Amino acid sequence: MDTHTTDTDRTGTAGAHLPQLHEPRNEGMPLDLDWVASVQANTSAIERRAATLPGRRSVKKEWQAAWLARAVSLIDLTTLAGDDTDGRVRRLCAKARQPVSPRILDAIGLPDLTVGAVCVYHDMVATAVDALDGSGIPVAAVSTGFPAGLSPFRLRIAEIGESVAAGAKEIDIVISRRHVLTGNWQALYDEMAEMRAACGEAHVKAILATGELGTLRNVARASLVCMMAGADFIKTSTGKESVNATLPVSLTMIRAIRDYEARTGVKVGYKPAGGISKAKDALTYLTLIKDELGDRWLRPDLFRFGASSLLGDIERQLEHHVTGAYSAGWRHALA
Amino acid sequence: MTIKEIFDSMEYGPAPESAKEALAWIEAKGGMAGPFVNGKWGSLRADIESRNPATGERLAGLTKCTAAEVDAAVKAARKAQPGWWKAGAHARARILYAIARGMQKQSRLLAVIETLDNGKPIRESRDIDVPLAIRHFYHHAGLAQLLESERPGMVPHGVCGQIIPWNFPLLMLAWKIAPALAAGNTVVLKPAEYTSLSAMVFAEICAEAGVPPGVVNIVTGDGETGAALVAAEVDKIAFTGSTEVGRRIREATAGRGIPLTLELGGKSPYIVFDDADLDSAVEGLVDAIWFNQGQVCCAGSRLLVQEGVAERFYDKLTTRMDRLRVGDPLDKCIDVGAVVDPVQLRAITEMVDANTEGEVRRANVPMPANGCYYPPTLITGLSTSSPLMQEEIFGPVLVSTTFRTPDEAVELANNTRYGLAATLWSENVNLALGVAPRLKAGVVWVNGTNMFDAAAPFGGIRESGFGREGGWEGLGAYLRPDRRPSRLKPVAPYTGEGAPPAGIDRTAKLYIGGKQARPDGGYSRAVHGPKGALLGHVPLANRKDVRNAVEAAHAAKGWSGTTGHLRAQILYYLAENLSARADEFARRLKDMTGASGEAEVEASVRRLFTCAAWADKFDGEAKGVPLRGLALALREPVGAIGMLCPDEAPLLGLVSTVAPAIAMGNRVVAVASEPFPLAATDLYQVLETSDVPAGVVNILTGSHAELAPTLAGHLEVDAVWSFSSTDLSAGIEKASAGNLKRTWVDYGRARDWSGPEGEGRAFLDAATEVKTVWVPYGE
């Protein structure tokens, strides 16, 4: 039924899906305040669209299995806890290499499936890079005084440099929420631009911390300003706010991505993070991306799930697909 | 396809809802559907075939009920009605509640049957039609419970004949049956011949819910069966369907003295201002015109976009259209299903193919090879004169043009014979709430579309019909005051040959546009007292005077925008000035009728006070809909009302009809008491000295029988009331079909103008239209 051409050459099943290979990076553009000011986001309508989406789309059987496998390939498998240790991070990286039991992956014909990336704090970057050596799975580091982003600016910039030096290929920065809350778009733009410059070749994901921005209109405007300043990805949340990724927020942000592409021709990636823990939620997100942005975004260079417990639920669903019996959590290897 | 291939392509796959149980249900009925009368299935014959429009497969044979079968159903309903009413409000509430529960228990069966029969996506029948229908019964269980305390003195009509369309078979059934039953009526309902099967499931649910035999009767069949139901001895008719058929029903029922509600077609505007959230407005269109394949009477089918954002909006819209999924309605991943029948598909195709204007953009999506499918279509750049901009297409076809200013948007939006719904998108609350009241529609959605709820009145103005469904307003259509009016005897003028009274001649004229005007025809008639005294002459107005008066009334439309407070002040002023001349008016009444006029003048002054009091108090209501937002049922003036005033109460009758109308903001063309017109002509000076703006009240004198057809046929008159002692009801109702104007006629029955019957809510209801404005909010 679907006519949209797909990018079968970018399947990324073999692990070698370095995101920077396929699309030109977002070089940004001068801050266009008129455009920013014209951005609208009608909360009720956005919520209605989000609320009815799961009822409008359904993927079943083989399609469900394939879509869930795709979701696995899009996960930034994450640990961002104060008690992270080398051992904990190595275990996570092992899971990133082998996210689902080989038995199940063989059964669905995707033996080389890996997650999209591993996401850790700066101190764990070296460990993760080592643990993932040869896998092609990039390491992402949260940076810039994550999660509050309130450490001295020069230290935040320096932190990016150190993470890149330690081998992080992707840097998840946090923006200064106060610039959004006070409407200081120039400050937000300057901050973002400087952080992107500090990333060098590493891709930068801008975490908006949408749960702290107050309104969807602010989310839409902040998304746009970060893209103008060169963000490769925009990302919802640190996972530490009381409200993290939601469908309405996602809809708002990906519509901003769509508008940015329409204006500049540049595709910016999207990463919802925090609160996506069920396989069914992942499918809903994928339908949202597919229907609002298009199939091109269903690839690791343009979409990631920031999640830790999502993988466990997907494993259980995949086993159910293979065996026909409902699965149990303890049958699958811990992340 | 292998999982690996799907992993690469990320296509949607099939996600079919099983039809097994539903088909088994039909099979268990012997593959037949037909009348359900008096709690039993009637004769099941395959007179008509019910087919699945998605596949063309036969679903069931259907009885085409004959006039005799319809009459039998009406008889059963008639027999059951007194018991159903006497059972009391609580008993009815319990049964309505049981129906709601029963529907909930069969919700998936109802949804699948609906989709099989109609072709609408299962997503819609499952998530919209069925839940709304269930909610309707729950809500009306509550209305039934509260009926006795909240509507004392009101009784049911009796047997209601109800005819529903094929686009929302179960939901329209609920909209019809729930209020009728709550109010204590019994019903005979005819579903559309394409889509009768969900009504069969409903009949079973009724039986299980303890609905007494004869309370709910269903007759199946086509238009002929419907015509038989209209012709049967029913006490009320409710119809939802096309404007064309609605017009025929209006004509067929003219003068029968049974109330009628019509919910008809539309060409509803969908206005996008340049400050709107364009992406959300695009998504709204998916729910407006591609909901139910566009086969929705209130579909936002006429897109009006502000010029500066039009191209961007069309780009976004076409991108969105290309992601719609058209196909098997039973697939849970389908947006647009099948059109109801090949006949409808042909009608849509022919209309669109006949168009030569604008740019046609069809959704670039794969279409099923077989079945009744029409691609989602957008036609931009149409002129207002294009038939596609004016006629209802009733398919997934959106037509569009642009506007420059809010005023122009309103003008374009209202440039239609219809007036069902309107949608507007703007992030500016001043603009949105300023435009909403100016749109000619029974429902206005702000920043959303196609929102419905049992608590919120729904219905149209102009040729979209009259009457509301939902809430107390909808229930009102199934109730009447408990009064048994006597026959109204024709009042003949007195004759005589007396000489004019001494003094300077006072020549009564017509009162049009605030000026006293000579009649176009140049004829007058002498008015004599009971003893033959010549009291004066009054002009005989003709159709051109009616035309002039209506023009004046139309020009005074500013009155409808005045505040209730201002209108109250003017009505009080009228009372004050009438009171100051009470003796003169009392004398005049006595001279004309022979009876003492003091009481009538006093009653007229009181009535003016009552209407002044109401002017700023007939409030709208915020309805309790399940939405973060407001659903405001506003009371708006009907517009220009033509009136044939009571003959027997020359002053009080005029005041009792004109005053509530103008209190609610209407403009009036009133034809004075035919035998006793001089109280009305004397009133001109009172009107002039009371600051009533020119054109708000226009008064004609002359023959009711001669003027009524012109008033009733006038396409710029929004309503006609007749309390003439000449029984003109049938003619007025028949002629009103032209623009489907509202009528309120006496069917030759008397009304006590001096008592409570002469004022109150009945008058205010008739003088207003309910407009439901939905305003979802939240940042």
Side-chain angles (χ1 to χ4, degrees):
Chain A
M1 293 299 302
D2 204 300
T3 56
H4 307 293
T5 53
T6 51
D7 306 288
T8 48
D9 55 329
R10 299 189 188 90
T11 54
T13 54
H17 42 62
L18 285 178
Q20 49 270 56
L21 293 180
H22 307 305
E23 295 283 343
R25 283 189 75 180
N26 175 24
E27 298 300 335
M29 58 175 279
L31 178 62
D32 182 343
L33 283 172
D34 288 341
W35 185 5
V36 175
S38 74
V39 168
Q40 302 286 11
N42 187 283
T43 301
S44 287
I46 289 167
E47 286 174 351
R48 274 198 304 281
R49 166 73 171 140
T52 59
L53 180 72
R56 291 179 200 255
R57 291 291 178 261
S58 176
V59 278
K60 296 290 176 200
K61 299 192 162 66
E62 290 85 353
W63 281 267
Q64 190 178 89
W67 280 52
L68 288 175
R70 172 56 69 190
V72 169
S73 78
L74 299 171
I75 290 176
D76 276 4
L77 199 60
T78 302
T79 183
L80 295 169
D83 58 0
D84 284 344
T85 60
D86 277 6
R88 160 77 185 124
V89 169
R90 285 184 187 280
R91 191 175 81 193
L92 191 78
C93 292
K95 186 70 177 173
R97 286 170 175 266
Q98 183 68 62
V100 180
S101 135
R103 184 176 46 85
I104 297 172
L105 291 184
D106 285 344
I108 62 174
L110 294 167
D112 300 325
L113 188 69
T114 70
V115 301
V118 165
C119 182
V120 293
Y121 267 115
H122 167 75
D123 266 14
M124 297 293 143
V125 170
T127 308
V129 168
D130 181 52
L132 292 169
D133 186 34
S135 70
I137 301 172
V139 173
V142 296
S143 192
T144 67
F146 182 93
L150 288 169
S151 51
F153 186 66
R154 65 183 168 78
L155 296 184
R156 282 185 267 155
I157 295 297
E159 190 186 356
I160 293 173
E162 295 207 15
S163 290
V164 174
K169 295 286 184 241
E170 301 175 7
I171 302 294
D172 290 18
I173 62 100
V174 290
I175 65 162
S176 297
R177 285 68 125 178
R178 63 188 184 281
H179 293 332
V180 178
L181 296 173
T182 56
N184 192 349
W185 305 115
Q186 186 68 54
L188 178 65
Y189 179 88
D190 292 345
E191 173 185 270
M192 180 71 230
E194 201 165 334
M195 288 177 174
R196 184 199 192 278
C199 286
E201 289 302 303
H203 278 213
V204 57
K205 305 192 196 106
I207 302 176
L208 303 186
T210 55
E212 293 176 351
L213 297 186
T215 67
L216 291 181
R217 211 178 299 265
N218 277 348
V219 169
R221 291 176 180 174
S223 299
L224 196 54
V225 172
C226 286
M227 288 187 283
M228 288 173 178
D232 296 295
F233 259 72
I234 52 176
K235 174 178 170 183
T236 59
S237 321
T238 64
K240 311 291 184 189
E241 293 87 49
S242 56
V243 180
N244 294 294
T246 65
L247 282 178
V249 157
S250 297
L251 186 54
T252 306
M253 292 174 72
I254 65 179
R255 282 176 173 174
I257 290 173
R258 194 168 64 192
D259 276 352
Y260 187 78
E261 192 211 6
R263 185 83 69 102
T264 66
V266 175
K267 293 181 172 67
V268 171
Y270 179 61
K271 178 177 173 183
I276 304 166
S277 57
K278 297 290 176 204
K280 193 172 187 332
D281 297 340
L283 293 177
T284 302
Y285 271 91
L286 294 182
T287 59
L288 181 74
I289 299 301
K290 181 177 171 70
D291 283 10
E292 292 278 340
L293 282 176
D295 290 349
R296 178 60 190 89
W297 265 265
L298 298 173
R299 292 295 182 275
D301 63 333
L302 287 175
F303 182 80
R304 301 286 178 80
F305 287 112
S308 42
S309 60
L310 171 64
L311 180 56
D313 195 50
I314 293 180
E315 287 177 271
R316 293 195 304 128
Q317 302 310 321
L318 287 176
E319 184 169 38
H320 172 241
H321 174 77
V322 169
T323 65
Y326 290 109
S327 182
W330 45 262
R331 296 171 55 83
H332 305 281
L334 271 180
Chain B
M1 270 179 113
T2 66
I3 290 175
K4 169 76 167 68
E5 284 164 342
I6 303 167
F7 178 86
D8 289 337
S9 72
M10 284 303 282
E11 278 180 30
Y12 289 116
E17 174 74 38
S18 166
K20 205 173 118 211
E21 285 82 359
L23 293 173
W25 188 91
I26 297 169
E27 189 59 39
K29 293 267 163 309
M32 300 285 266
F36 179 80
V37 173
N38 211 18
K40 292 189 284 287
W41 295 103
S43 164
L44 302 179
R45 307 182 297 267
D47 301 330
I48 314 176
E49 278 190 334
S50 188
R51 290 182 174 276
N52 177 350
T55 61
E57 283 163 19
R58 179 185 194 271
L59 289 171
L62 196 67
T63 307
K64 177 179 164 179
C65 287
T66 62
E69 283 170 316
V70 170
D71 287 342
V74 172
K75 269 205 190 75
R78 174 79 57 208
K79 191 155 165 262
Q81 198 270 329
W84 178 242
W85 170 240
K86 286 198 193 88
H90 178 62
R92 291 195 299 277
R94 288 170 80 131
I95 285 181
L96 286 164
Y97 179 77
I99 294 175
R101 281 301 181 99
M103 291 170 75
Q104 225 155 20
K105 284 180 253 188
Q106 298 297 348
S107 57
R108 193 53 59 92
L109 174 65
L110 285 165
V112 174
I113 289 243
E114 200 77 323
T115 286
L116 283 173
D117 210 8
N118 166 280
K120 64 175 65 201
I122 185 72
R123 197 276 302 185
E124 293 177 12
S125 49
R126 182 196 63 203
D127 294 352
I128 298 171
D129 294 48
V130 172
L132 278 175
I134 293 169
R135 157 103 179 117
H136 220 76
F137 278 96
Y138 275 126
H139 184 77
H140 282 82
L143 289 179
Q145 179 71 24
L146 299 175
L147 184 69
E148 284 164 3
S149 60
E150 293 300 304
R151 293 291 183 273
M154 299 297 277
V155 296
H157 295 300
V159 177
C160 302
Q162 306 181 313
I163 300 171
I164 57 171
W166 44 258
N167 56 346
F168 295 92
L170 183 72
L171 185 57
M172 291 302 103
L173 173 149
W175 283 20
K176 294 285 179 286
I177 291 184
L181 261 51
N185 301 276
T186 54
V187 305
V188 178
L189 175 127
K190 190 197 86 69
E193 73 267 31
Y194 297 150
T195 55
S196 297
L197 298 181
S198 55
M200 304 295 108
V201 181
F202 179 81
E204 252 186 22
I205 291 169
C206 284
E208 286 175 6
V211 177
V215 169
V216 172
N217 305 279
I218 292 166
V219 291
T220 51
D222 59 10
E224 282 181 34
T225 309
L229 181 54
V230 169
E233 283 202 22
V234 293
D235 306 308
K236 180 203 161 58
I237 286 177
F239 171 76
T240 297
S242 72
T243 293
E244 182 198 340
V245 175
R247 218 188 293 282
R248 289 214 296 273
I249 293 177
R250 169 69 292 181
E251 287 169 355
T253 57
R256 274 170 57 188
I258 55 172
L260 176 65
T261 43
L262 298 173
E263 203 269 88
L264 309 174
K267 189 79 187 177
S268 298
Y270 189 102
I271 309 169
V272 180
F273 289 103
D274 61 4
D275 68 339
D277 173 352
L278 298 185
D279 291 305
S280 289
V282 164
E283 202 55 45
L285 275 170
V286 174
D287 291 334
I289 188 66
W290 295 305
F291 172 53
N292 202 17
Q293 296 70 249
Q295 304 164 125
V296 183
C297 50
C298 55
S301 54
R302 208 158 40 99
L303 171 63
L304 308 173
V305 194
Q306 198 150 7
E307 210 170 311
V309 296
E311 276 316 308
R312 199 146 64 90
F313 190 78
Y314 293 148
D315 284 348
K316 283 175 177 284
L317 182 55
T318 41
T319 304
R320 181 69 184 90
M321 284 166 69
D322 291 348
R323 295 218 165 96
L324 290 170
R325 291 172 52 79
V326 183
D328 178 9
L330 273 176
D331 191 310
K332 288 177 275 194
C333 200
I334 280 296
D335 298 307
V336 180
V339 167
V340 71
D341 191 85
V343 171
Q344 183 62 17
L345 182 64
R346 210 152 41 235
I348 298 168
T349 309
E350 280 168 12
M351 268 187 93
V352 175
D353 290 353
N355 172 61
T356 52
E357 245 191 281
E359 188 191 343
V360 180
R361 314 182 199 197
R362 290 201 165 84
N364 180 20
V365 296
M367 294 292 294
N370 301 305
C372 289
Y373 294 94
Y374 196 89
T377 302
L378 165 69
I379 307 178
T380 56
L382 288 178
S383 60
T384 48
S385 58
S386 161
L388 290 186
M389 283 297 269
Q390 296 178 338
E391 308 295 333
E392 187 175 37
I393 301 172
F394 226 62
V397 182
L398 179 66
V399 297
S400 178
T401 191
T402 60
F403 65 88
R404 296 165 296 175
T405 62
D407 282 347
E408 191 175 45
V410 169
E411 209 178 348
L412 284 167
N414 293 342
N415 184 209
T416 170
R417 286 179 291 126
Y418 296 109
L420 191 49
T423 300
L424 71 97
W425 289 81
S426 167
E427 289 300 297
N428 176 350
V429 69
N430 300 304
L431 178 63
L433 298 186
V435 166
R438 298 172 62 196
L439 296 172
K440 296 287 180 199
V443 184
V444 176
W445 292 296
V446 175
N447 292 330
T449 200
N450 277 346
M451 290 180 269
F452 309 99
D453 184 61
F458 179 92
I461 62 169
R462 292 187 175 168
E463 293 183 34
S464 292
F466 41 78
R468 291 294 176 267
E469 298 184 287
W472 286 108
E473 291 83 352
L475 190 73
Y478 289 92
L479 292 164
R480 63 173 181 83
D482 188 12
R483 56 188 279 267
R484 306 227 171 275
S486 56
R487 274 241 156 265
L488 176 60
K489 291 190 199 80
V491 184
Y494 293 114
T495 53
E497 294 172 8
I504 300 173
D505 175 71
R506 279 173 68 194
T507 301
K509 296 181 189 161
L510 306 174
Y511 187 62
I512 296 174
K515 292 194 177 66
Q516 301 204 22
R518 288 204 175 79
D520 171 82
Y523 288 101
S524 291
R525 158 178 104 69
V527 180
H528 297 277
K531 297 199 172 105
L534 176 63
L535 302 176
H537 289 79
V538 289
L540 290 173
N542 66 12
R543 60 199 314 273
K544 289 194 177 157
D545 297 310
V546 169
R547 177 199 65 189
N548 295 343
V550 172
E551 256 170 40
H554 192 70
K557 60 178 179 292
W559 179 251
S560 298
T562 55
T563 63
H565 176 73
L566 176 83
R567 297 195 296 270
Q569 293 302 299
I570 288 175
L571 284 159
Y572 283 127
Y573 199 14
L574 264 172
E576 180 188 328
N577 288 326
L578 178 60
S579 180
R581 294 170 61 172
D583 292 347
E584 176 200 332
F585 273 90
R587 225 170 20 246
R588 180 65 105 179
L589 290 169
K590 185 162 196 302
D591 288 347
M592 285 195 297
T593 66
S596 159
E598 278 149 32
E600 186 172 342
V601 176
E602 174 57 22
S604 301
V605 171
R606 273 172 188 254
R607 191 131 294 154
L608 285 167
F609 257 66
T610 303
C611 294
W614 270 119
D616 62 352
K617 295 176 193 64
F618 196 51
D619 302 326
E621 280 177 23
K623 297 293 179 177
V625 297
L627 170 84
R628 189 188 64 218
L630 295 168
L632 298 170
L634 306 175
R635 291 282 181 172
E636 293 194 340
V638 170
I641 305 181
M643 297 179 171
L644 298 141
C645 295
D647 289 323
E648 67 277 19
L651 180 65
L652 181 58
L654 180 80
V655 167
S656 299
T657 47
V658 170
I662 65 171
M664 295 297 108
N666 299 283
R667 295 90 65 194
V668 164
V669 175
V671 185
S673 164
E674 185 173 339
F676 312 126
L678 293 173
T681 58
D682 289 350
L683 203 65
Y684 301 167
Q685 285 187 347
V686 179
L687 291 167
E688 279 165 354
T689 53
S690 305
D691 295 344
V692 178
V696 171
V697 178
N698 305 279
I699 299 178
L700 306 177
T701 54
S703 158
H704 286 184
E706 196 182 316
L707 298 177
T710 307
L711 269 176
H714 199 305
L715 300 178
E716 209 170 32
V717 172
D718 300 294
V720 172
W721 299 359
S722 174
F723 300 101
S724 175
S725 69
T726 313
D727 186 5
L728 305 165
S729 304
I732 288 171
E733 288 188 335
K734 191 153 194 203
S736 75
N739 66 343
L740 288 162
K741 61 173 67 68
R742 288 97 190 94
T743 55
W744 187 21
V745 296
D746 62 10
Y747 302 112
R749 296 283 163 179
R751 183 175 286 269
D752 175 11
W753 294 102
S754 60
E757 277 183 4
E759 62 184 31
R761 286 185 176 272
F763 288 82
L764 306 176
D765 279 331
T768 52
E769 295 280 8
V770 174
K771 174 190 273 181
T772 307
V773 180
W774 293 72
V775 191
Y777 54 64
E779 178 69 41

